[in-house]
């Protein structure tokens, strides 16, 4: 990186492949072998398996939505908003613990083994939640599930970014959000019978063991991240995995890209202090703030408590929640299509701007100005639009963007740090939402959420750079200042 011109990082795979290949190996290989992009079909199965971690994240995020009332009746804490908040937030506390150590686990045992490990606490926790007879058993089970939720999505984002070809990395990165949406939809559909069948909520926890077991099993046959293997000094294995993921014709170029100097020493251990000062600080600040603003927008209050909120407007919760899940899924599909066309930054700006408007509709709906019918449409429509616009950018982009902008030396641990910030904010939002809703009312609370969405627009405009179509090494050399 020293002495190199890195202002323009917009070169694509086709333009730079031959030139860099010559620079790296001192001779020119046949240009036919470097024509075009590597096939996305090779890496797709590995990406799909990894996104099972995101499916489980979405499922456990929404599993208490429709079932919370039945759980509270069966476990004798009905009417206690604090206990209900703890059932939600204990899971988030566990996710904080899991995400905090995810970077060290991913760097220690590899991305593949880390994804297998995240399935274990999810299986244990789901079993405990399904069999418990009291609130404390439920809280302990949710704590175990949470540790897997914190570990899995962070490592999945790393894994997907490192095994995907650059030209489809945004699209493949969106798969994690789509998988989360499918998990959320699955939990909502499972919960539809919770009020009609006694004890059905226990089946909702039991069924989550199936995708967790599949994740642990199928990752055994999936490729390891070549980036992690190279960083660990296992260069021959890294080349073998590149061949599995990209095809033989693209192995040498991909390996040459990986071998480029980045201005840092990958062999040095990364300490927490290294993330909080020096040349890495700005990237850590951007990542942490982006995740904090994502949660302060209030999005997860919709996923956790939409049944309660819709009931206050007289909306049937089962239909409303399905509509929310569908809106989230459709928005994620659109984001997948646009991610590598419009870019990450444009989607973030459009998403947060739409969330400001959506929250404004909910504020008006919660006021005394409209009639009951108008309030219904404003509140329900605003909430659905809020989820839709969130899923277009604010949902899928942050984890993808962070896995792209962090240098390879600190990528896993930096992601872990930023995700831990995400879960801390998520925990307190989930814990305090219902009490605040009772104390200050929906109008003021939604105004606060809307203000954070507006702050997010300003923050993205000033701090976020575009990364579409660039290799991880190109992004790293452009963003990381020379020591």
């Amino acid at each position: 990186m020293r002495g190199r011109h890195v202002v323009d990082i917009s070169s694509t795979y086709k333009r730079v492949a031959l030139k860099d290949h010559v620079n790296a190996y001192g001779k020119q290989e046949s240009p036919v072998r470097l024509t075009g992009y590597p096939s996305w079909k090779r890496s797709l199965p590995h990406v799909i398996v990894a996104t099972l971690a995101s499916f489980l994240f979405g499922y456990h995020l929404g599993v208490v939505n429709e079932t919370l009332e039945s759980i509270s009746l069966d476990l004798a804490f009905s009417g206690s908003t604090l206990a209900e908040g703890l059932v939600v937030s204990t899971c988030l506390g566990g996710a904080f613990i899991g995400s905090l150590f995810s970077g060290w686990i991913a760097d220690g045992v590899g991305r593949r083994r880390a994804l297998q490990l995240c399935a274990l606490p999810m299986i244990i926790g789901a079993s405990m939640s399904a069999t418990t007879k009291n609130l404390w058993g439920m809280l302990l089970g949710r704590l175990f599930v949470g540790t897997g939720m914190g570990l899995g999505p962070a490592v999945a984002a790393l894994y997907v970014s490192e095994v995907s070809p650059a030209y489809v990395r945004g699209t493949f990165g969106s798969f994690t959000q789509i998988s989360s949406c499918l998990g959320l939809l699955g939990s909502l559909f499972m919960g539809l019978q919770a009020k009609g069948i006694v004890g059905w909520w226990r089946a909702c926890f039991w069924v989550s063991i199936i995708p967790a077991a599949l994740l642990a099993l199928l990752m055994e046959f999936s490729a390891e991240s070549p980036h992690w293997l190279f960083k660990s000094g296992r260069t021959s294995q890294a080349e073998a995995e590149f061949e599995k993921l990209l095809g033989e014709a693209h192995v040498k170029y991909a390996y040459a890209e990986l071998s480029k100097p980045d201005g840092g020493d990958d062999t040095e251990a990364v300490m927490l202090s290294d993330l909080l000062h020096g040349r890495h600080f700005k990237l850590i600040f951007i990542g942490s703030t982006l995740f904090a603003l994502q949660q302060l927008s209030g999005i997860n209050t919709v996923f956790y408590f939409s049944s309660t909120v819709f009931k206050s407007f007289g909306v049937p919760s089962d239909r409303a929640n399905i509509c929310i899940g569908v809106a989230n899924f459709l928005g994620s599909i659109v984001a997948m299509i646009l991610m590598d066309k419009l870019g990450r930054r444009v989607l973030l700006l459009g998403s947060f701007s739409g969330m400001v408007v959506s929250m404004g509709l909910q504020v008006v709906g919660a006021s005394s100005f409209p009639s009951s019918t108008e309030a219904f449409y404003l509140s329900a429509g605003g909430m659905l639009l809020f989820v839709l616009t969130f899923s277009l950018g604010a949902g899928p982009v942050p984890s993808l963007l962070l896995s792209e902008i962090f240098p390879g030396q600190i990528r896993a641990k930096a992601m872990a740090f930023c995700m831990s910030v995400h879960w801390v904010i998520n925990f307190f939002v989930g814990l305090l939402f219902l009490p605040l809703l009772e104390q200050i009312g929906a109008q003021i609370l939604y105004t606060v959420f809307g203000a954070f969405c507006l702050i997010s627009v300003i923050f993205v405009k000033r701090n976020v750079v575009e990364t579409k179509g660039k290799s991880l090494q190109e992004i790293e050399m452009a963003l990381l200042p020379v020591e």
Side-chain angles (χ1 to χ4, degrees), residues 61 64-65 68 81 84-89 299-311 321 324 383 429-435 437 446:
L61 197 67
V64 296
N65 195 314
L68 188 57
T81 56
E84 291 176 355
L86 282 172
V87 170
V88 172
S89 298
I299 183 60
N300 279 326
T301 62
V302 177
F303 296 141
Y304 299 147
F305 303 112
S306 60
S307 296
T308 304
V309 174
F310 273 117
K311 189 183 295 183
N321 287 334
I324 284 175
M383 189 169 287
V429 171
L431 181 64
L432 299 176
F433 175 71
L434 287 180
L437 190 63
Y446 291 161

Side-chain angles (χ1 to χ4, degrees), residues 190-236:
M190 280 294 297
L192 289 177
Q193 302 299 321
K195 296 173 183 176
I197 303 176
V198 176
W200 179 256
W201 63 268
R202 298 184 186 274
C204 295
F205 286 99
W206 278 122
V207 77
S208 67
I209 294 176
I210 298 173
L214 283 174
L215 174 63
L217 175 64
L218 295 178
M219 281 309 300
E220 187 66 28
F221 305 99
S222 300
E224 181 54 271
S225 163
H227 292 254
W228 178 77
L229 290 169
F230 180 83
K231 182 180 177 182
S232 303
R234 297 153 68 175
T235 55
S236 60

